Amino acid sequence: MDTPNQTKILLESGTNELEIMEFTVGGELFGINIAKIREIMRAQETKRMPNSHNFVEGIFKQRGEVITVIDLAKCLNIEKSENKSHDIFILTHFNKLNFAFRVESVVGIDRVSWENIKKPDKVIYSGEDSVATAIAEYKDRLITILDFEKIIADISPETSITLDRLYELGDRVESQKKILVAEDSMMLSNLIIGFLHKSGYKNTVKFNNGKEAWNYLTEAKESGLPISNYVSCIVSDIEMPLMDGHRLTKLIKTDDELKHIPVILFSSLISDELRIKGQEVGADEQITKPEIVELVNIIDRLIK
């Protein structure tokens, strides 16, 4: 059981910690950031929808709301247990969307430092096709953290970032301002960079996590050249291995040489609680994925 002091540490902003819930599918261990979870409940009977995606089990009604259920075993190509009587629905909320994922069991909740969460080895990590976003080391266990945003984007591409919204920005003028993007999902980082380039921000640099971004900024300070040569605005995800977006923002905003740089948190996890944490660490703006047009508008305003 957590002590009051431990709980206080967890609630502080920028500590580079998160809570993950462990669950099993086909006897294998996986994890999800607790901030994505609305509710955990016993699996319910679902209604199959005609012509739906193969990963979609069906729909059910929960407190007047119709929720789509994703069969996680099918997504992961894992053989399911024949006994479904103890299956669990994990009800999630991210990117302003609600989904339920069928899993076999819930193991528990762990507090983990992002320093102990790493990208899978390239031998098993298949780039944009992978739904394993990270591996968490906790005690004697290795927990695969799944990219739930990619799972939903594969099922319903229109829920993700799309270039067909470029017309909403109107006529654009090319800018030489350098935009730093910190995003661990290869799929999303490529989409974000692609959209920025199409909108006129062709001078970009991207990193897979907050630690890589911080190392780049540290080297920029040590170069003796103006910081503006290296970055004019920072767009950062929150969930990232090694160092999360809150910690990165806190380091930037408490550094006299860097604190003037605008930082935008662009994440699927901009809940009321996390918005407060973002404000506490000094983020200039916070916006929920996949609102890419609004992101560009914010960059325009902040770098003027």
Side-chain angles (χ1 to χ4, degrees):
M1 180 177 295
D2 292 338
T3 68
N5 286 337
Q6 287 174 318
T7 303
K8 182 179 179 182
I9 290 171
L10 182 63
L11 294 176
E12 289 176 353
S13 303
T15 59
N16 211 36
E17 291 181 309
L18 81 159
E19 285 184 313
I20 59 174
M21 188 184 76
E22 293 182 62
F23 61 88
T24 61
V25 178
E28 297 187 32
L29 196 60
F30 298 94
I32 178 174
N33 188 338
I34 202 76
K36 286 188 170 81
I37 299 175
R38 276 180 51 187
E39 187 177 347
I40 301 166
M41 61 184 294
R42 288 286 184 190
Q44 307 289 306
E45 184 177 347
T46 59
K47 176 179 175 58
R48 178 72 180 174
M49 301 301 293
N51 300 320
S52 61
H53 193 282
N54 184 48
F55 296 163
V56 176
E57 177 180 321
I59 59 173
F60 78 107
K61 201 167 185 178
Q62 168 76 347
R63 302 189 188 95
E65 178 185 9
V66 176
I67 297 177
T68 300
V69 179
I70 310 299
D71 188 332
L72 205 47
K74 282 189 176 180
C75 294
L76 303 174
N77 196 26
I78 293 176
E79 188 173 344
K80 295 185 288 186
S81 169
E82 294 182 3
N83 181 9
K84 295 184 179 182
S85 61
H86 299 295
D87 280 5
I88 300 292
F89 280 173
I90 301 176
L91 274 63
T92 63
H93 178 78
F94 53 88
N95 289 353
K96 298 182 179 179
L97 299 170
N98 298 316
F99 289 93
F101 293 85
R102 179 186 285 272
V103 304
E104 289 179 4
S105 67
V106 171
V107 178
I109 296 174
D110 312 313
R111 183 185 309 159
V112 182
S113 169
W114 280 108
E115 292 180 355
N116 295 325
I117 299 179
K118 300 176 176 62
K119 275 283 187 186
D121 189 277
K122 290 183 179 180
V123 174
I124 60 172
Y125 178 65
S126 52
E128 287 197 27
D129 294 328
S130 177
V131 294
T133 188
I135 302 293
E137 299 178 29
Y138 181 75
K139 296 183 177 178
D140 59 344
R141 302 192 294 281
L142 294 177
I143 307 163
T144 303
I145 308 297
L146 296 177
D147 190 343
F148 286 86
E149 289 91 335
K150 185 182 187 308
I151 291 172
I152 297 303
D154 287 344
I155 295 171
S156 181
E158 65 273 13
T159 64
S160 188
I161 296 168
T162 57
L163 290 177
D164 59 9
R165 294 191 61 195
L166 272 168
Y167 76 92
E168 298 178 35
L169 291 169
D171 294 333
R172 303 288 298 173
V173 176
E174 188 170 319
S175 171
Q176 292 305 310
K177 299 286 188 179
K178 182 171 283 190
I179 311 299
L180 185 158
V181 176
E183 168 64 62
D184 67 314
S185 168
M186 185 179 293
M187 176 195 74
L188 288 175
S189 67
N190 287 340
L191 287 171
I192 293 167
I193 293 294
F195 201 96
L196 289 176
H197 287 183
K198 293 289 186 180
S199 66
Y201 290 111
K202 296 185 177 181
N203 193 5
T204 58
V205 58
K206 66 177 180 177
F207 298 100
N208 295 320
N209 56 67
K211 187 171 183 180
E212 289 181 3
W214 178 247
N215 289 342
Y216 172 83
L217 293 170
T218 300
E219 291 173 7
K221 288 198 304 176
E222 294 172 351
S223 71
L225 298 173
I227 294 298
S228 58
N229 286 20
Y230 292 88
V231 61
S232 298
C233 183
I234 296 168
V235 177
S236 177
D237 189 14
I238 292 178
E239 291 183 286
M240 293 183 290
L242 299 178
M243 182 188 292
D244 69 6
H246 284 147
R247 179 63 178 169
L248 173 63
T249 304
K250 186 173 182 177
L251 290 174
I252 293 167
K253 293 302 182 179
T254 54
D255 186 290
D256 288 339
E257 294 183 59
L258 302 175
K259 62 184 180 183
H260 67 282
I261 303 170
V263 178
I264 305 167
L265 293 177
F266 187 47
S267 170
S268 62
L269 293 176
I270 307 295
S271 62
D272 290 342
E273 180 184 354
L274 288 173
R275 186 175 293 279
I276 292 171
K277 289 189 175 186
Q279 291 170 348
E280 289 176 346
V281 295
D284 294 88
E285 289 284 354
Q286 301 178 73
I287 182 171
T288 304
K289 293 172 183 172
E291 300 298 331
I292 188 70
V293 172
E294 182 60 22
L295 174 66
V296 173
N297 288 330
I298 290 171
I299 294 173
D300 290 344
R301 173 169 54 82
L302 291 178
I303 67 173
K304 281 185 178 179

